[in-house]
Amino acid sequence: MRKLNVCWYVYTHESRLVLLASGMQCRTFTGFQLSSAGIVRLPKFDMAMAKPEANSKPVLAAEDVYIVTVYGRIYCLQVDRVAMLLHSYRFYRDAVVQQGSLPIYSRKIAVSVVDNVLLVHQIDAKVVILYDIFADSRAPISAPLPLQSRGFPRSYSSSSRSSGKDGECSEVNNKIDHEGIIYGDNWTFIVPDLICDVSNNFLWKIHLDLEAIAASSSETPSVLEFLQRRKLEAIKAKQLCLGIARTVILERRPVSMVSKAIDVLVSSYSLSLKTGSYFKGIKTESTSSGVAKTSVARSSTDVSTSRIDGTSIRHESTAGVDSEYPSRASTFSASESEENASSAPLRTDSRDLQLGGGKVDRVNLTGAHSSGPTDNPVFVNISEQQDSELTSPAISPDEMYKFVFAAVEEEMVGDPSYLVSIIVEFLRSTNMEKIKVHPNLYVLAIQLLARNERYAELESFVTNKILEPSKEVALQLLESGRQNIQTRKLGLDMLRQLSLHHDYVSLLVQDGRYNEALRYARKYQVTTVRPALFLQAACSSNNSQHLAAVLRFFSDFIPDFRTTSDFTTYYGILNEMNTSVAATSF
């Protein structure tokens, strides 16, 4: 034990870290992290403070210091009201390093963290500035966004007023009247994502409205990177990424910009495969969707919060309440699971002091909410996976084909050159990450090139393996080759390269090249093609020698062929042809 002259302290249960302030200006800190392995003492450090005047020494207050956990790393944020900066310090086992500073635009601010996004509430201006400190840039991820509250559903409010006593009715009406109050004087921000309104007995939970955040930024690659790092609403993030990818192509944005956006999605998918986060096989729990929310938004949403009213969350089986609001018991059990998950420090760097347990599913505390049009085919398809195994917003190549390329191809008109260029950029990106793409994407590229009669370019794509060989690609080359002999030859050659002997022989026969087909079938022992296919082709040529050669081939190639109905039928036709030829010669 050691005595310390402590002026005040800050502590967060999430980080298990306590900071003790000392000194005349309360700017000298000693930190301790509590864990099951013991107490970790951090090096003593001083915080930076600007001086307003030469002889003035401002004193740091407890409300100016926040401990936050972002991406499993523990930071301390310090408000410098003189310099109008928010300084950040990162904790290591053997050092505390200042990471930089963010500008603030209000004398009174607060800090929250939602899904690893840092929210800096500019309380005087009544807006929120969002930062994703995973990225190197210190710029906000979007324009400043207002905070919007979402109260109880109308049905619940009306039923509560009609069924409750007079006092209860007055209480509910009072709550509804105060729903529109944002950044009230009695609001207390609790790290990471709660707001306590003592005067109105409210507890709000903050959520991110990803749709509004994405709409408030014009930097498409940066928005996609941000969305791909979101875990709490992976389905919504995935839906938005697909929609953004479709939009930039339909709007014919510069190929270089679309290429960067594609690289973001492909690299994110590749990383999710390497880390195993794409499919973990863990079912996400179905949670209630009626919890009152607040959101940060420009028009309707942006950063959202859910309100948990202390009087309404209790053990009751009243119809219409339990189905919409989690019980008090479920709330505490979820908190306990957070404690168990974060009891031991988690480190990726031996020097890095981090939150134990890594990730916490906070959706279970208040219930999940879904937004967006349910008639959107992309949203419906992804929703089917919500209760199964979707744990990442990463987008697979199959989904890129189905929900982006195939979708925009139906809407784009005119010269398909632009879409072909985008597909080529996608193939380049997947090739760099060594990721297989959907064969139908190659088929689409062939269709677009053939539609524009760019057969020379199509041949170059095939010979240079830009279009990966497959049966689907070969058959599309044959289909498109009806107007170009060289393209059809490419399809036949691809079938042969892929050792698709049955399809190759069948197509040779369809082209009337049954003698060549017979030689190929004999060489590669192709026994799956029906003899009747060859016999019918030879018969239609009205050449008895060809028909005789085919009958002789199958008699030698297939045991007991002479006992089959095909031999009997076509041998009779051959005799008729020979008789007709003999009668004609007389």
Side-chain angles (χ1 to χ4, degrees):
M1 298 294 295
R2 181 180 177 183
K3 289 186 177 182
L4 293 173
N5 293 322
V6 178
C7 301
W8 46 261
Y9 72 93
V10 290
Y11 171 79
T12 62
H13 180 69
E14 184 184 34
S15 64
R16 308 294 198 276
L17 181 67
V18 59
L19 289 178
L20 309 177
S22 60
M24 295 293 294
Q25 295 179 266
C26 300
R27 57 189 294 265
T28 301
F29 287 86
T30 304
F32 298 91
Q33 188 184 36
L34 312 177
S35 70
S36 58
I39 299 178
V40 178
R41 179 169 180 171
L42 305 179
K44 185 180 293 187
F45 68 100
D46 291 335
M47 291 187 177
M49 294 182 66
K51 295 181 180 180
E53 300 174 3
N55 297 324
S56 176
K57 291 184 178 181
V59 177
L60 192 64
E63 57 267 23
D64 294 334
V65 176
Y66 301 87
I67 301 174
V68 299
T69 304
V70 183
Y71 294 108
R73 299 167 180 170
I74 301 175
Y75 295 85
C76 178
L77 303 178
Q78 172 224 344
V79 180
D80 190 336
R81 303 185 192 282
V82 176
M84 295 298 286
L85 292 173
L86 182 66
H87 303 301
S88 65
Y89 304 84
R90 182 174 170 187
F91 293 102
Y92 296 85
R93 275 186 168 274
D94 55 357
V96 178
V97 180
Q98 186 171 355
Q99 297 289 291
S101 302
L102 300 172
I104 58 176
Y105 307 96
S106 175
R107 290 290 177 181
K108 187 177 181 181
I109 72 164
V111 171
S112 302
V113 175
V114 180
D115 199 6
N116 293 310
V117 179
L118 178 63
L119 283 62
V120 182
H121 303 268
Q122 314 287 327
I123 295 177
D124 293 339
K126 297 187 182 301
V127 295
V128 184
I129 301 180
L130 294 85
Y131 297 93
D132 187 2
I133 62 176
F134 181 89
D136 293 334
S137 173
R138 292 282 168 175
I141 60 176
S142 69
L145 303 173
L147 191 71
Q148 182 184 29
S149 64
R150 294 178 179 175
F152 290 108
R154 287 288 180 185
S155 59
Y156 175 70
S157 300
S158 60
S159 64
S160 298
R161 289 193 297 269
S162 62
S163 62
K165 299 179 181 178
D166 292 341
E168 292 174 346
C169 292
S170 175
E171 182 182 359
V172 172
N173 282 318
N174 184 51
K175 290 171 185 175
I176 296 174
D177 292 340
H178 285 84
E179 281 179 11
I181 299 177
I182 301 299
Y183 294 119
D185 294 336
N186 293 314
W187 276 25
T188 301
F189 289 81
I190 305 173
V191 176
D193 54 6
L194 298 177
I195 302 172
C196 182
D197 185 352
V198 179
S199 60
N200 297 302
N201 298 322
F202 289 165
L203 180 64
W204 300 91
K205 183 175 176 64
I206 304 174
H207 293 270
L208 297 178
D209 189 324
L210 300 180
E211 186 174 359
I213 294 173
S216 66
S217 176
S218 59
E219 295 293 329
T220 300
S222 299
V223 169
L224 291 174
E225 287 180 350
F226 169 78
L227 292 173
Q228 286 294 300
R229 287 193 285 269
R230 307 286 63 84
K231 303 300 180 184
L232 293 185
E233 292 186 88
I235 293 174
K236 185 63 177 178
K238 189 170 195 173
Q239 178 194 8
L240 287 171
C241 287
L242 290 169
I244 291 172
R246 288 193 302 270
T247 300
V248 295
I249 296 175
L250 288 173
E251 293 179 352
R252 294 179 179 265
R253 300 282 185 89
V255 175
S256 58
M257 189 277 284
V258 180
S259 177
K260 292 179 181 178
I262 287 174
D263 287 342
V264 170
L265 297 179
V266 172
S267 61
S268 178
Y269 174 72
S270 176
L271 180 62
S272 71
L273 292 180
K274 294 174 183 176
T275 59
S277 63
Y278 185 70
F279 287 117
K280 290 187 177 180
I282 301 176
K283 293 186 178 182
T284 57
E285 295 186 15
S286 297
T287 52
S288 59
S289 59
V291 175
K293 330 175 188 31
T294 69
S295 66
V296 178
R298 291 181 305 166
S299 56
S300 61
T301 48
D302 274 0
V303 174
S304 82
T305 75
S306 298
R307 184 182 68 195
I308 311 172
D309 179 26
T311 61
S312 66
I313 301 179
R314 54 180 179 263
H315 284 296
E316 289 184 355
S317 58
T318 306
V321 176
D322 287 350
S323 61
E324 293 184 344
Y325 298 93
S327 68
R328 192 180 189 89
S330 64
T331 300
F332 283 115
S333 63
S335 298
E336 290 168 3
S337 66
E338 285 187 15
E339 294 180 20
N340 296 333
S342 60
S343 59
L346 172 68
R347 302 173 183 84
T348 54
D349 185 329
S350 60
R351 299 175 58 246
D352 200 3
L353 189 65
Q354 301 190 355
L355 169 68
K359 57 179 188 174
V360 178
D361 184 7
R362 299 190 187 87
V363 175
N364 292 333
L365 294 178
T366 60
H369 69 280
S370 62
S371 59
T374 55
D375 57 346
N376 187 322
V378 176
F379 181 81
V380 171
N381 181 274
I382 295 176
S383 296
E384 294 172 357
Q385 304 179 49
Q386 183 174 9
D387 293 329
S388 57
E389 50 190 305
L390 183 65
T391 59
S392 167
I395 300 172
S396 70
D398 288 6
E399 291 166 329
M400 281 292 291
Y401 165 74
K402 184 176 181 180
F403 299 125
V404 177
F405 293 112
V408 301
E409 190 271 338
E410 296 177 357
E411 299 184 39
M412 296 187 73
V413 294
D415 186 3
S417 301
Y418 176 79
L419 184 54
V420 171
S421 300
I422 300 302
I423 292 175
V424 170
E425 288 300 314
F426 180 71
L427 296 177
R428 172 197 57 78
S429 186
T430 54
N431 182 63
M432 290 180 61
E433 296 288 347
K434 295 181 173 56
I435 296 175
K436 292 286 185 180
V437 305
H438 198 293
N440 285 346
L441 184 60
Y442 299 126
V443 172
L444 177 60
I446 295 171
Q447 292 172 342
L448 294 172
L449 291 170
R451 188 183 306 166
N452 209 29
E453 297 184 353
R454 295 163 60 180
Y455 295 109
E457 189 173 348
L458 176 55
E459 181 179 359
S460 175
F461 280 18
V462 174
T463 55
N464 292 319
K465 298 295 178 66
I466 296 176
L467 303 179
E468 195 70 25
S470 68
K471 181 177 180 178
E472 293 84 354
V473 171
L475 294 179
Q476 183 58 49
L477 288 171
L478 291 166
E479 175 67 22
S480 301
R482 292 181 178 182
Q483 307 299 326
N484 185 274
I485 297 176
Q486 182 60 27
T487 300
R488 184 171 178 82
K489 183 178 181 302
L490 290 173
L492 280 171
D493 291 344
M494 187 174 291
L495 287 176
R496 186 170 183 173
Q497 293 169 9
L498 295 170
S499 298
L500 297 171
H501 304 311
H502 174 91
D503 300 281
Y504 182 73
V505 170
S506 299
L507 285 164
L508 287 178
V509 174
Q510 290 179 19
D511 290 347
R513 299 159 60 183
Y514 47 85
N515 286 331
E516 182 181 346
L518 288 174
R519 289 193 295 270
Y520 188 89
R522 175 182 294 171
K523 180 178 180 180
Y524 291 100
Q525 298 294 307
V526 183
T527 59
T528 56
V529 180
R530 293 182 298 106
L533 186 66
F534 292 87
L535 293 168
Q536 185 179 0
C539 182
S540 62
S541 68
N542 291 322
N543 189 317
S544 60
Q545 292 181 349
H546 289 176
L547 181 56
V550 173
L551 285 170
R552 189 180 308 112
F553 171 82
F554 283 111
S555 298
D556 297 338
F557 189 62
I558 301 177
D560 301 326
F561 174 72
R562 290 178 179 273
T563 62
T564 63
S565 59
D566 285 340
F567 177 82
T568 303
T569 300
Y570 286 97
Y571 187 75
I573 294 174
L574 177 62
N575 287 334
E576 291 177 4
M577 293 175 66
N578 288 334
T579 302
S580 176
V581 171
T584 302
S585 63
F586 284 107

